[in-house]
Amino acid sequence: MAKFNSHISMLFIVVALVCAFVPVYSVDDNEAKSSWDTCIVKISPKCALDIITVVFGNATITDSCCHDLVQEGKVCHDTLIKYIADRPALIACESQYLKKSDDLLAHCVTISKSA
């Protein structure tokens, strides 16, 4: 239960940071903001947390979240991960996070095709 609570706490922190910084970085880019708003609702909070912990941590993802990720699509997935990876605290490792993101999506596509 403690692990679940820490994951929920992490999700709220990430969402709060993203909500705080996205408007600042996207004021001149309405299209990117619109894409963010459209993509964020395409995946459940639990799967979003799982994806974030895989890309920005060392977790594994369930098959059901893999299916959700594939349904979300590459453009939305890339948009969401890029917004988070662009934060000042994470930018130094951005290329590592983007590679992990691509690897995760490739893994999930394979899982989806085999189901």
Side-chain angles (χ1 to χ4, degrees):
M1 187 64 170
K3 186 176 182 179
F4 178 74
N5 286 336
S6 70
H7 281 182
I8 294 298
S9 297
M10 182 178 163
L11 175 62
F12 285 123
I13 290 168
V14 169
V15 169
L17 288 172
V18 170
C19 289
F21 288 109
V22 167
V24 171
Y25 286 98
S26 63
V27 169
D28 295 334
D29 194 356
N30 290 332
E31 186 176 335
K33 177 72 169 97
S34 175
S35 178
W36 169 268
D37 291 343
T38 301
C39 293
I40 197 71
V41 297
K42 288 187 175 183
I43 197 157
S44 73
K46 190 215 182 295
C47 286
L49 177 61
D50 287 353
I51 291 165
I52 290 166
T53 56
V54 168
V55 173
F56 297 96
N58 291 320
T60 57
I61 193 164
T62 63
D63 288 357
S64 64
C65 284
C66 263
H67 294 292
D68 288 354
L69 175 57
V70 172
Q71 290 298 312
E72 176 191 39
K74 180 170 177 40
V75 171
C76 282
H77 176 65
D78 289 350
T79 299
L80 298 175
I81 296 300
K82 183 80 169 139
Y83 270 128
I84 297 169
D86 277 348
R87 301 308 95 187
L90 302 174
I91 196 81
C93 298
E94 182 180 27
S95 61
Q96 173 190 344
Y97 298 136
L98 296 178
K99 169 133 179 37
K100 285 177 79 174
S101 172
D102 289 343
D103 292 347
L104 174 63
L105 186 58
H107 168 75
C108 286
V109 166
T110 300
I111 296 293
S112 268
K113 285 181 179 179
S114 67

